[in-house]
Amino acid sequence: MGMLSRSPWVIHYDGSSCNGCDIEVLAALMPRFDVERFGVVNTGNPKHADIFLLTGSINEQNKPVVLNIYNQMPEPKVVLAVGICATSGGIFRECYNVLGGADKVLPVDVYVPGCSVRPEAIIDAVVKGVGILEEKRAALRNNLKSAVSQA
Amino acid sequence: MSERTIIPFGPQHPVLPEPIHLDLVVEDEKVIEAIPSIGFIHRGLERLVEKKDYVDYVYVAERICGICSFIHGLTYCMAIEELMKVQVPDRAQYLRLIWSELSRIHSHLLWLGLTADSFGFESMFMQSWRLREYILDIIEETTGGRVIFGSAKIGGVRRDIPLAKMDEIMKKMRVYRKDVAALCEQFMKDQTVKHRMRGVGLLSREDAISLGAVGPMLRGSGVAQDIRMTGYSGYDRIGFTPITETAGDCYARCMVRVREMDASFQMIERCVEQMTDGPIEVKVTGNPNGEFFMRSEQPRGEAIYYAKANGTKFLSRLRVRTPTFANIPPLLTALAGCQLADVPVIVLTIDPCISCAER
């Protein structure tokens, strides 16, 4: 376990969801589920975040916002598509203003289906995300090492 | 000194779980004007009536908003029932009322937490969300879902609550009612809360009426208007009186919601006393024809559904006017002249639900 996996910081953005998944993301922070005891902190600042929790689908208006948040996050970073809307568009897939799931614009690492997704599923996804985060960190470090040895 | 600056607020902002963007024109610390731009979560689901038939659309209507999901589904069902001249059985109406009031309590507890959090009262945030979980438990036991209930259907409800279960729930509800009342008292009597909310974000009675405010925003300014007074879905039988406050500031709006929660507990209790056994749905056949306006009172205010049908299984038009959308003009009035630091508090006292507003 590295330092990142002991306390992953999470940023949450509501793409175009119905709110259901967002309140469940918040509910995961509440006394019953209390993810903060595992060191998971919900931050509002993309530059502090390791994990990007995206709920809801992508549309033209929020595309630049989502990309902006993602690009500001430091490497390594993990994207979780939370809820069925973020994985595929869900019930709103046929709407004219819905482009589709989060993977239309971002490289998604973990898909969390559910309408609305349950807090337990979100916690599971974060745990899974932490594993991926750790792999990415190791890969990043190896790249850096080989770059240094070549130079 | 007084140079004008524009400060962007949102769409991604720590106090808001949902995206709304406000351009705040400030002079030093004073907000002169707030210019909203919305559309970040517009999905265009009114047009989905062309692709989903009128029975399936109940599920879409429920997903207009995840907080007042049941009442959205219910209002849609009531509109279609009126079109098709369906008389919903009494028991189904009472069950609908119980679920509506349960979702009002959970929505208001959610709002209480977020408002407390907006000025740093984080333990209140945790406590009110802790109580909210108990209400969600009851909802889950009776409907199967925590957020999206899926129990309203055209012609009645999908599930019944057995008598034994009802007794058990009522026993729990009496305890929760006391807990919620104690929590609210703590909040409303707190000196800091009063300091942050009294006289902040004023909306006069005249402004509230002329700008078309709805829900607690309107009732906090002293106008006794609540769609539950029209007596839909059994509200006429359990005796409903609207709750009003006269100050028109943030504190008054909070007071309205806090008192509404207690009233909801009472209503559920009366409802359970009056309920009799009976069928919970009637069979609906054929397709709707004609047009109808249906109104209902959501936790955030009045929602209007306009449905136009043409005798096929697809509606030709559905229009939804949601409370938060109606409350944006009053919000902008309340924001003008306030301190920059008060913006999150004022925004949260309208209890914004952006996914409702943009649909």
Side-chain angles (χ1 to χ4, degrees), chain A residues 11-20 22-24 26-27 29-33 36 43-46 57 59 61-62 65 69 91-92 94-98 115-116 118-119, chain B residues 11-12 14 17-19 38-45 47-48 51-52 59-60 63-67 106 110 114 125-126 129-130 132-134 136-137 140 146-148 353 355:
Chain A
I11 186 167
H12 163 233
Y13 182 75
D14 169 1
S16 65
S17 86
C18 72
N19 237 340
D22 310 304
I23 57 179
E24 293 293 60
L26 283 182
L29 297 163
M30 290 307 112
R32 175 169 295 173
F33 300 101
E36 262 188 46
T43 170
N45 188 337
S57 46
N59 61 31
Q61 177 97 333
N62 71 27
V65 183
I69 295 172
I91 196 166
F92 303 126
E94 290 170 315
C95 289
Y96 60 81
N97 200 32
V98 171
C115 181
S116 69
R118 295 183 65 90
Chain B
Q12 190 263 329
E18 295 180 273
I38 60 172
F40 292 95
I41 40 182
H42 175 66
R43 287 151 282 172
L45 50 78
R47 217 175 148 190
L48 213 55
K51 290 174 183 158
K52 302 237 189 254
Y59 300 110
V60 182
R63 284 163 178 82
I64 287 179
C65 166
I67 306 177
H106 105 71
L110 177 143
L114 290 178
F125 179 40
M126 293 286 174
W129 280 63
R130 181 179 65 85
R132 181 175 163 269
E133 284 291 328
Y134 297 135
L136 289 187
D137 279 350
E140 194 179 348
R146 277 166 57 90
V147 174
I148 308 286
C353 173
S355 65

Coordinates of all heavy atoms in Angstrom, one line a residue, chain A residues 11-20 22-24 26-27 29-33 36 43-46 57 59 61-62 65 69 91-92 94-98 115-116 118-119, chain B residues 11-12 14 17-19 38-45 47-48 51-52 59-60 63-67 106 110 114 125-126 129-130 132-134 136-137 140 146-148 353 355:
Chain A
I11 N -12.9 13.6 -6.3 CA -13.7 14.8 -6.7 C -14.9 14.3 -7.4 O -14.9 13.3 -8.1 CB -12.9 15.7 -7.6 CG1 -13.7 17.0 -7.9 CG2 -12.4 15.1 -8.9 CD1 -12.9 18.1 -8.5
H12 N -16.0 14.9 -7.1 CA -17.3 14.4 -7.6 C -17.9 15.5 -8.5 O -17.9 16.7 -8.2 CB -18.3 14.1 -6.5 CG -19.7 14.1 -6.9 ND1 -20.7 14.8 -6.3 CD2 -20.3 13.4 -7.9 CE1 -21.8 14.5 -6.9 NE2 -21.6 13.7 -7.9
Y13 N -18.3 15.1 -9.7 CA -19.0 16.1 -10.6 C -20.2 15.4 -11.2 O -20.2 14.2 -11.6 CB -18.0 16.6 -11.7 CG -18.7 17.6 -12.6 CD1 -18.9 18.9 -12.2 CD2 -19.2 17.2 -13.9 CE1 -19.6 19.8 -13.0 CE2 -19.9 18.2 -14.7 CZ -20.1 19.4 -14.2 OH -20.7 20.4 -15.0
D14 N -21.3 16.2 -11.2 CA -22.6 15.7 -11.7 C -22.6 16.1 -13.2 O -22.8 17.2 -13.5 CB -23.7 16.3 -10.9 CG -25.0 16.1 -11.5 OD1 -25.1 15.4 -12.5 OD2 -26.0 16.6 -10.9
G15 N -22.5 15.1 -14.0 CA -22.6 15.4 -15.5 C -24.0 15.8 -15.8 O -24.3 17.0 -15.8
S16 N -24.9 14.9 -16.2 CA -26.3 15.3 -16.3 C -27.1 14.2 -15.7 O -28.0 13.7 -16.4 CB -26.6 15.6 -17.8 OG -26.5 14.4 -18.5
S17 N -26.9 13.9 -14.5 CA -27.7 12.9 -13.8 C -28.9 13.5 -13.2 O -29.2 14.6 -13.3 CB -26.9 12.2 -12.7 OG -27.0 12.9 -11.5
C18 N -29.8 12.6 -12.7 CA -31.1 13.0 -12.1 C -30.9 13.4 -10.7 O -31.9 13.6 -10.0 CB -32.1 11.9 -12.3 SG -31.8 10.6 -11.2
N19 N -29.6 13.4 -10.2 CA -29.4 13.7 -8.8 C -29.4 12.5 -7.9 O -28.9 12.6 -6.8 CB -30.6 14.6 -8.2 CG -30.2 15.9 -7.7 OD1 -29.0 16.0 -7.4 ND2 -31.0 16.8 -7.6
G20 N -30.0 11.4 -8.3 CA -30.1 10.2 -7.5 C -28.7 9.7 -7.1 O -28.5 9.5 -5.9
D22 N -26.0 11.4 -7.2 CA -25.2 12.4 -6.5 C -25.5 12.3 -5.0 O -24.6 12.4 -4.2 CB -25.5 13.8 -7.0 CG -25.4 13.8 -8.5 OD1 -24.3 13.5 -8.9 OD2 -26.4 14.1 -9.1
I23 N -26.8 12.2 -4.7 CA -27.1 12.1 -3.2 C -26.6 10.8 -2.6 O -26.3 10.7 -1.5 CB -28.6 12.4 -2.9 CG1 -29.5 11.4 -3.6 CG2 -28.9 13.8 -3.2 CD1 -31.0 11.7 -3.3
E24 N -26.5 9.8 -3.5 CA -25.9 8.5 -2.9 C -24.4 8.7 -2.7 O -23.8 8.1 -1.8 CB -26.2 7.3 -3.9 CG -27.7 7.0 -3.9 CD -28.3 6.4 -2.6 OE1 -28.2 7.2 -1.6 OE2 -28.8 5.3 -2.6
L26 N -23.0 11.4 -1.8 CA -22.9 12.1 -0.5 C -23.3 11.2 0.6 O -22.7 11.3 1.7 CB -23.9 13.4 -0.6 CG -23.4 14.6 -1.3 CD1 -24.4 15.7 -1.2 CD2 -22.0 15.0 -0.9
A27 N -24.3 10.3 0.4 CA -24.7 9.4 1.5 C -23.6 8.5 1.9 O -23.5 8.1 3.0 CB -25.9 8.6 1.0
L29 N -20.6 9.4 2.3 CA -19.8 10.1 3.2 C -20.4 10.2 4.6 O -19.8 10.7 5.5 CB -19.5 11.5 2.6 CG -18.8 11.6 1.3 CD1 -19.0 13.0 0.7 CD2 -17.3 11.3 1.5
M30 N -21.7 9.8 4.7 CA -22.4 10.1 5.9 C -22.1 9.0 7.0 O -21.6 8.0 6.7 CB -23.9 10.1 5.6 CG -24.3 11.3 4.8 SD -23.7 12.8 5.6 CE -22.4 13.4 4.5
P31 N -22.6 9.2 8.2 CA -22.2 8.3 9.3 C -22.5 6.9 9.0 O -21.7 6.0 9.5 CB -23.1 8.8 10.5 CG -23.3 10.2 10.2 CD -23.3 10.4 8.7
R32 N -23.5 6.5 8.3 CA -23.8 5.1 8.1 C -22.7 4.4 7.3 O -22.2 3.3 7.7 CB -25.1 4.8 7.5 CG -25.3 3.4 7.2 CD -26.7 3.0 6.8 NE -27.7 3.2 7.8 CZ -29.0 3.0 7.6 NH1 -29.4 2.7 6.4 NH2 -29.8 3.2 8.5
F33 N -22.3 5.0 6.3 CA -21.2 4.4 5.4 C -19.9 4.9 5.7 O -18.9 4.2 5.8 CB -21.6 4.5 3.9 CG -22.9 3.9 3.6 CD1 -24.0 4.7 3.5 CD2 -23.1 2.6 3.4 CE1 -25.3 4.2 3.2 CE2 -24.3 2.0 3.1 CZ -25.4 2.8 3.0
E36 N -14.9 8.2 5.1 CA -13.8 9.0 5.5 C -12.9 8.2 6.5 O -11.8 8.5 6.7 CB -14.3 10.3 6.2 CG -14.1 11.5 5.2 CD -14.4 12.8 5.8 OE1 -13.9 13.1 6.8 OE2 -15.1 13.6 5.1
T43 N -13.1 16.2 -2.1 CA -12.6 17.5 -2.2 C -13.3 18.2 -3.3 O -13.8 17.6 -4.3 CB -11.0 17.4 -2.5 OG1 -10.6 18.7 -2.8 CG2 -10.7 16.5 -3.6
G44 N -13.3 19.5 -3.3 CA -13.9 20.3 -4.3 C -12.8 20.8 -5.3 O -13.2 21.4 -6.3
N45 N -11.6 20.5 -5.1 CA -10.5 21.1 -5.9 C -9.9 20.0 -6.7 O -9.3 19.0 -6.2 CB -9.4 21.7 -5.0 CG -8.4 22.4 -5.7 OD1 -8.2 22.2 -6.9 ND2 -7.8 23.4 -5.1
P46 N -10.0 20.1 -8.1 CA -9.5 19.0 -8.9 C -8.0 18.8 -8.8 O -7.5 17.6 -8.9 CB -9.8 19.5 -10.4 CG -10.4 20.8 -10.3 CD -10.6 21.2 -8.8
S57 N -24.7 11.5 -17.6 CA -24.1 11.3 -18.9 C -23.5 12.6 -19.4 O -23.5 13.6 -18.7 CB -25.2 10.9 -19.8 OG -26.4 11.7 -19.6
N59 N -23.1 15.7 -22.1 CA -23.7 16.5 -23.2 C -22.8 17.6 -23.6 O -21.7 17.8 -23.1 CB -25.1 17.0 -22.7 CG -25.0 18.0 -21.6 OD1 -24.0 18.7 -21.4 ND2 -26.0 17.9 -20.7
Q61 N -22.8 20.7 -23.4 CA -22.6 21.8 -22.5 C -21.6 21.4 -21.4 O -20.8 22.2 -21.0 CB -23.9 22.3 -21.8 CG -23.8 23.3 -20.8 CD -24.1 24.7 -21.3 OE1 -23.9 24.9 -22.5 NE2 -24.6 25.6 -20.5
N62 N -21.7 20.2 -20.9 CA -20.8 19.9 -19.8 C -19.5 19.2 -20.2 O -18.6 18.9 -19.4 CB -21.5 19.0 -18.7 CG -21.8 17.6 -19.1 OD1 -21.2 17.0 -20.0 ND2 -22.9 17.1 -18.6
V65 N -16.5 21.2 -19.3 CA -16.3 21.2 -17.8 C -15.7 20.0 -17.3 O -14.7 20.0 -16.5 CB -17.7 21.5 -17.1 CG1 -17.5 21.6 -15.6 CG2 -18.4 22.7 -17.7
I69 N -11.9 19.6 -15.6 CA -11.7 19.0 -14.3 C -10.6 17.8 -14.5 O -9.6 17.8 -13.7 CB -12.9 18.4 -13.7 CG1 -13.9 19.5 -13.3 CG2 -12.6 17.6 -12.4 CD1 -15.3 19.1 -12.9
I91 N -31.4 5.3 -19.0 CA -32.7 5.6 -19.5 C -32.8 6.8 -20.4 O -33.7 7.0 -21.2 CB -33.7 5.7 -18.3 CG1 -35.2 5.6 -18.7 CG2 -33.5 7.0 -17.6 CD1 -36.1 5.4 -17.6
F92 N -31.8 7.7 -20.3 CA -31.8 8.9 -21.1 C -31.0 8.8 -22.4 O -30.7 9.7 -23.0 CB -31.2 10.1 -20.3 CG -31.9 10.3 -19.0 CD1 -31.2 10.3 -17.8 CD2 -33.3 10.5 -19.0 CE1 -31.9 10.5 -16.6 CE2 -33.9 10.7 -17.8 CZ -33.2 10.7 -16.6
E94 N -31.6 7.8 -25.2 CA -32.3 8.2 -26.5 C -32.6 9.7 -26.5 O -33.2 10.2 -27.5 CB -33.6 7.4 -26.6 CG -33.3 6.0 -27.0 CD -34.6 5.2 -26.9 OE1 -35.4 5.3 -25.9 OE2 -34.8 4.3 -27.8
C95 N -32.3 10.4 -25.4 CA -32.6 11.9 -25.4 C -31.7 12.6 -26.4 O -30.6 12.2 -26.6 CB -32.4 12.4 -24.0 SG -33.6 11.9 -22.8
Y96 N -32.2 13.7 -27.0 CA -31.5 14.4 -28.0 C -30.2 15.1 -27.4 O -29.3 15.3 -28.2 CB -32.3 15.4 -28.8 CG -32.9 16.5 -27.9 CD1 -32.2 17.6 -27.6 CD2 -34.3 16.4 -27.5 CE1 -32.8 18.6 -26.8 CE2 -34.8 17.4 -26.7 CZ -34.1 18.5 -26.4 OH -34.6 19.5 -25.6
N97 N -30.2 15.4 -26.2 CA -29.1 16.2 -25.6 C -28.1 15.3 -24.9 O -27.3 15.8 -24.1 CB -29.6 17.3 -24.7 CG -28.6 18.4 -24.6 OD1 -27.8 18.6 -25.4 ND2 -28.5 19.0 -23.4
V98 N -28.2 14.0 -25.0 CA -27.3 13.1 -24.3 C -26.4 12.4 -25.3 O -26.8 11.7 -26.2 CB -28.1 12.0 -23.5 CG1 -27.2 11.0 -22.9 CG2 -28.9 12.7 -22.4
C115 N -29.3 2.1 -10.9 CA -30.1 3.3 -11.0 C -31.1 3.3 -9.9 O -32.1 2.6 -9.9 CB -30.8 3.3 -12.4 SG -31.8 4.8 -12.6
S116 N -30.9 4.1 -8.9 CA -29.6 4.8 -8.7 C -28.6 3.8 -8.0 O -29.0 2.9 -7.4 CB -29.8 6.0 -7.9 OG -30.1 5.6 -6.6
R118 N -26.1 2.2 -5.5 CA -26.1 2.2 -4.0 C -24.8 2.6 -3.4 O -23.8 2.4 -4.0 CB -26.5 0.8 -3.5 CG -27.8 0.3 -3.9 CD -28.1 -1.1 -3.4 NE -28.2 -1.0 -1.9 CZ -29.3 -0.8 -1.2 NH1 -30.4 -0.6 -1.9 NH2 -29.3 -0.7 0.1
P119 N -24.8 3.2 -2.2 CA -23.6 3.6 -1.6 C -22.5 2.5 -1.5 O -21.3 2.7 -1.7 CB -24.0 4.1 -0.2 CG -25.4 4.5 -0.4 CD -26.0 3.6 -1.4
Chain B
P11 N -19.7 26.0 -12.6 CA -20.6 24.9 -12.3 C -20.1 23.9 -11.3 O -20.9 23.3 -10.7 CB -20.9 24.3 -13.7 CG -19.7 24.7 -14.5 CD -19.2 26.0 -14.0
Q12 N -18.8 23.7 -11.2 CA -18.3 22.8 -10.2 C -17.9 23.6 -9.0 O -17.0 24.3 -9.1 CB -17.2 22.0 -10.8 CG -16.7 20.8 -10.0 CD -15.6 21.1 -9.1 OE1 -14.7 21.9 -9.4 NE2 -15.5 20.5 -7.9
P14 N -17.7 23.5 -4.5 CA -17.8 22.6 -3.4 C -19.1 22.6 -2.7 O -19.5 21.5 -2.2 CB -16.7 23.1 -2.4 CG -15.7 23.8 -3.3 CD -16.5 24.3 -4.5
P17 N -23.8 20.1 -5.0 CA -23.6 18.8 -5.5 C -24.0 18.8 -7.0 O -23.7 17.8 -7.7 CB -24.6 17.9 -4.7 CG -25.4 18.8 -3.9 CD -25.0 20.2 -4.1
E18 N -24.6 19.8 -7.5 CA -25.1 19.9 -8.9 C -24.6 21.1 -9.5 O -24.3 22.1 -8.9 CB -26.6 19.9 -8.9 CG -27.2 18.7 -8.3 CD -28.7 18.9 -8.4 OE1 -29.3 19.5 -7.5 OE2 -29.3 18.5 -9.4
P19 N -24.4 21.0 -10.9 CA -23.9 22.2 -11.6 C -24.9 23.3 -11.9 O -25.9 23.0 -12.5 CB -23.3 21.6 -12.8 CG -24.1 20.4 -13.1 CD -24.7 19.9 -11.8
I38 N -27.7 28.3 -17.2 CA -28.0 26.9 -16.9 C -28.0 26.0 -18.2 O -27.7 26.6 -19.2 CB -29.4 26.8 -16.3 CG1 -30.5 27.3 -17.2 CG2 -29.5 27.5 -14.9 CD1 -31.9 27.0 -16.7
G39 N -28.2 24.8 -18.1 CA -28.2 23.9 -19.2 C -27.1 22.8 -19.1 O -26.9 22.1 -20.1
F40 N -26.4 22.8 -18.0 CA -25.3 21.8 -17.9 C -25.9 20.4 -17.8 O -25.2 19.4 -18.2 CB -24.5 22.1 -16.7 CG -23.7 23.3 -16.8 CD1 -24.1 24.5 -16.3 CD2 -22.5 23.3 -17.5 CE1 -23.4 25.6 -16.5 CE2 -21.7 24.4 -17.7 CZ -22.2 25.6 -17.2
I41 N -27.1 20.2 -17.3 CA -27.7 18.9 -17.2 C -29.0 18.8 -17.9 O -29.8 18.0 -17.5 CB -27.8 18.4 -15.7 CG1 -28.2 19.4 -14.8 CG2 -26.5 17.7 -15.3 CD1 -28.3 19.0 -13.4
H42 N -29.1 19.5 -18.9 CA -30.3 19.4 -19.7 C -30.2 18.1 -20.5 O -29.2 17.8 -21.1 CB -30.5 20.5 -20.7 CG -31.6 20.4 -21.6 ND1 -32.9 20.4 -21.2 CD2 -31.7 20.2 -23.0 CE1 -33.7 20.2 -22.3 NE2 -33.0 20.1 -23.3
R43 N -31.3 17.2 -20.4 CA -31.2 16.0 -21.1 C -32.2 16.0 -22.3 O -32.1 15.2 -23.2 CB -31.5 14.8 -20.2 CG -30.4 14.5 -19.2 CD -31.0 13.9 -17.9 NE -31.5 15.0 -17.1 CZ -32.2 14.8 -16.0 NH1 -32.4 13.6 -15.6 NH2 -32.6 15.8 -15.3
G44 N -33.3 16.8 -22.1 CA -34.3 16.8 -23.2 C -35.3 15.6 -23.0 O -35.7 15.0 -24.0
L45 N -35.7 15.4 -21.8 CA -36.5 14.2 -21.6 C -38.0 14.4 -21.9 O -38.8 13.5 -21.9 CB -36.3 13.5 -20.2 CG -36.4 14.3 -19.0 CD1 -37.8 14.6 -18.6 CD2 -35.7 13.6 -17.9
R47 N -39.0 15.3 -24.6 CA -39.2 14.8 -26.0 C -39.2 13.3 -26.0 O -39.5 12.7 -27.1 CB -38.1 15.4 -26.9 CG -38.7 15.7 -28.2 CD -37.8 16.4 -29.1 NE -38.1 15.9 -30.5 CZ -37.4 16.2 -31.5 NH1 -36.3 16.9 -31.4 NH2 -37.8 15.8 -32.7
L48 N -38.7 12.7 -24.9 CA -38.7 11.3 -24.9 C -40.1 10.6 -25.0 O -40.2 9.4 -25.2 CB -38.0 10.8 -23.6 CG -37.1 9.6 -23.7 CD1 -36.1 9.7 -24.7 CD2 -36.4 9.3 -22.3
K51 N -40.6 8.5 -27.9 CA -40.0 7.2 -28.0 C -40.5 6.2 -27.0 O -40.3 5.0 -27.2 CB -38.5 7.3 -27.9 CG -37.9 8.0 -29.2 CD -36.5 8.3 -29.0 CE -36.0 9.1 -30.2 NZ -34.8 9.9 -29.9
K52 N -40.9 6.7 -25.8 CA -41.4 5.7 -24.8 C -42.9 5.9 -24.7 O -43.4 7.0 -24.6 CB -40.7 6.1 -23.4 CG -39.2 6.0 -23.5 CD -38.7 5.1 -22.5 CE -37.2 5.2 -22.4 NZ -36.4 4.1 -23.0
Y59 N -41.4 5.8 -15.6 CA -40.0 5.6 -15.1 C -39.2 6.8 -15.4 O -38.3 7.1 -14.7 CB -39.4 4.3 -15.7 CG -40.2 3.1 -15.3 CD1 -41.0 2.4 -16.2 CD2 -40.3 2.7 -14.0 CE1 -41.7 1.3 -15.8 CE2 -41.0 1.6 -13.6 CZ -41.7 0.9 -14.5 OH -42.5 -0.2 -14.1
V60 N -39.4 7.3 -16.6 CA -38.6 8.5 -17.0 C -39.0 9.7 -16.1 O -38.1 10.4 -15.7 CB -38.8 8.8 -18.5 CG1 -37.9 10.0 -18.9 CG2 -38.5 7.6 -19.4
R63 N -37.4 9.9 -13.0 CA -35.9 10.2 -13.0 C -35.7 11.6 -13.5 O -34.6 12.0 -13.8 CB -35.2 9.2 -13.9 CG -35.0 7.9 -13.2 CD -34.7 6.8 -14.2 NE -34.5 5.5 -13.5 CZ -35.4 4.7 -13.0 NH1 -36.7 5.0 -13.2 NH2 -35.1 3.6 -12.4
I64 N -36.7 12.5 -13.5 CA -36.5 13.9 -13.7 C -35.6 14.4 -12.6 O -34.7 15.2 -12.8 CB -37.8 14.6 -13.8 CG1 -38.5 14.3 -15.1 CG2 -37.6 16.1 -13.6 CD1 -39.9 15.0 -15.3
C65 N -35.9 13.9 -11.4 CA -35.1 14.3 -10.2 C -35.0 13.2 -9.3 O -36.0 12.5 -9.0 CB -35.8 15.5 -9.6 SG -35.1 15.9 -8.0
G66 N -33.9 13.0 -8.8 CA -33.7 11.8 -7.8 C -34.1 12.1 -6.4 O -34.2 11.2 -5.6
I67 N -34.4 13.4 -6.1 CA -34.8 13.7 -4.7 C -36.3 13.6 -4.5 O -36.7 13.0 -3.6 CB -34.2 15.0 -4.3 CG1 -32.7 15.1 -4.5 CG2 -34.5 15.3 -2.8 CD1 -32.1 16.4 -4.2
H106 N -37.5 13.2 3.7 CA -36.1 12.9 3.4 C -35.5 14.1 2.6 O -34.3 14.4 2.8 CB -35.9 11.5 2.8 CG -35.7 11.5 1.3 ND1 -34.5 11.9 0.7 CD2 -36.5 11.1 0.3 CE1 -34.6 11.7 -0.6 NE2 -35.8 11.3 -0.9
L110 N -32.3 16.3 3.8 CA -31.1 16.5 2.9 C -30.8 18.0 2.8 O -29.6 18.4 2.9 CB -31.5 15.9 1.6 CG -30.6 15.9 0.4 CD1 -30.7 14.7 -0.4 CD2 -30.9 17.1 -0.5
L114 N -27.3 20.1 3.9 CA -26.5 20.9 2.9 C -26.5 22.3 3.3 O -25.4 23.0 3.2 CB -27.1 20.8 1.5 CG -27.0 19.4 0.8 CD1 -27.7 19.4 -0.5 CD2 -25.5 19.0 0.7
F125 N -24.7 18.7 9.4 CA -24.8 18.0 8.1 C -24.8 16.5 8.4 O -25.7 15.8 7.9 CB -23.5 18.4 7.3 CG -23.4 17.8 6.0 CD1 -24.4 17.6 5.1 CD2 -22.1 17.5 5.5 CE1 -24.3 17.1 3.9 CE2 -21.9 17.0 4.3 CZ -23.0 16.8 3.4
M126 N -23.9 16.0 9.2 CA -23.8 14.6 9.4 C -25.0 14.1 10.2 O -25.6 13.0 9.8 CB -22.5 14.3 10.3 CG -21.2 14.6 9.6 SD -20.9 13.3 8.4 CE -19.4 14.0 7.6
W129 N -28.2 13.9 7.9 CA -28.1 12.9 7.0 C -28.1 11.5 7.7 O -28.5 10.5 7.1 CB -26.8 13.0 6.1 CG -27.0 14.0 5.0 CD1 -27.2 15.3 5.2 CD2 -27.0 13.7 3.6 NE1 -27.3 15.9 3.9 CE2 -27.2 15.0 3.0 CE3 -26.8 12.6 2.8 CZ2 -27.2 15.1 1.6 CZ3 -26.8 12.7 1.5 CH2 -27.0 14.0 0.9
R130 N -27.7 11.5 8.9 CA -27.9 10.2 9.6 C -29.3 9.9 9.8 O -29.8 8.7 9.6 CB -27.2 10.3 11.0 CG -27.2 9.1 11.9 CD -26.5 9.3 13.2 NE -27.1 10.3 14.0 CZ -28.1 10.1 14.8 NH1 -28.6 8.9 15.0 NH2 -28.7 11.0 15.5
R132 N -31.7 11.0 8.0 CA -32.3 10.7 6.7 C -32.2 9.3 6.3 O -33.1 8.7 5.7 CB -31.6 11.6 5.7 CG -32.1 11.5 4.3 CD -31.4 12.5 3.4 NE -31.6 12.1 2.0 CZ -30.8 11.3 1.3 NH1 -29.7 10.8 1.9 NH2 -31.1 10.9 0.1
E133 N -31.1 8.6 6.7 CA -30.9 7.2 6.4 C -32.0 6.4 7.0 O -32.4 5.4 6.3 CB -29.5 6.7 6.9 CG -28.3 7.2 6.1 CD -28.3 6.5 4.8 OE1 -28.7 5.4 4.6 OE2 -27.8 7.2 3.8
Y134 N -32.5 6.7 8.2 CA -33.6 5.9 8.7 C -34.9 6.1 7.9 O -35.6 5.1 7.7 CB -33.9 6.4 10.2 CG -32.7 6.2 11.1 CD1 -32.4 7.2 12.0 CD2 -32.0 5.0 11.1 CE1 -31.3 7.1 12.9 CE2 -30.9 4.9 12.0 CZ -30.6 5.9 12.8 OH -29.5 5.7 13.7
L136 N -34.9 6.7 4.7 CA -34.6 5.9 3.5 C -34.8 4.4 3.8 O -35.2 3.7 2.9 CB -33.2 6.2 3.0 CG -32.9 7.5 2.4 CD1 -31.5 7.5 1.8 CD2 -33.9 7.9 1.3
D137 N -34.5 4.0 5.0 CA -34.7 2.6 5.3 C -36.2 2.2 5.2 O -36.5 1.2 4.6 CB -34.3 2.3 6.8 CG -32.8 2.1 6.8 OD1 -32.2 2.0 5.8 OD2 -32.2 2.0 8.0
E140 N -37.1 2.1 1.7 CA -36.5 0.8 1.0 C -37.4 -0.4 1.4 O -37.6 -1.2 0.6 CB -35.1 0.7 1.4 CG -34.4 -0.4 0.5 CD -32.9 -0.5 0.9 OE1 -32.4 0.3 1.6 OE2 -32.3 -1.5 0.4
R146 N -34.0 3.0 -2.7 CA -33.7 4.1 -1.8 C -34.0 5.5 -2.3 O -34.4 6.4 -1.6 CB -32.2 4.0 -1.5 CG -31.8 3.1 -0.4 CD -30.3 2.9 -0.4 NE -29.5 4.1 -0.3 CZ -29.1 4.6 0.9 NH1 -29.4 3.9 2.0 NH2 -28.4 5.7 1.0
V147 N -33.7 5.6 -3.6 CA -33.8 6.9 -4.2 C -35.0 6.9 -5.2 O -35.8 7.8 -5.2 CB -32.5 7.3 -4.9 CG1 -32.6 8.6 -5.6 CG2 -31.4 7.4 -3.8
I148 N -34.9 6.0 -6.2 CA -36.0 5.9 -7.1 C -36.9 4.8 -6.6 O -36.5 3.6 -6.5 CB -35.4 5.5 -8.5 CG1 -34.2 6.4 -8.9 CG2 -36.5 5.4 -9.6 CD1 -34.6 7.7 -9.4
C353 N -32.6 22.3 -7.0 CA -32.5 21.0 -7.5 C -32.4 21.2 -9.0 O -33.3 21.5 -9.7 CB -33.8 20.2 -7.2 SG -33.8 18.7 -8.1
S355 N -31.3 19.4 -11.5 CA -31.7 18.4 -12.5 C -33.2 18.5 -12.8 O -33.6 18.2 -13.9 CB -31.3 17.0 -12.1 OG -32.0 16.6 -11.0

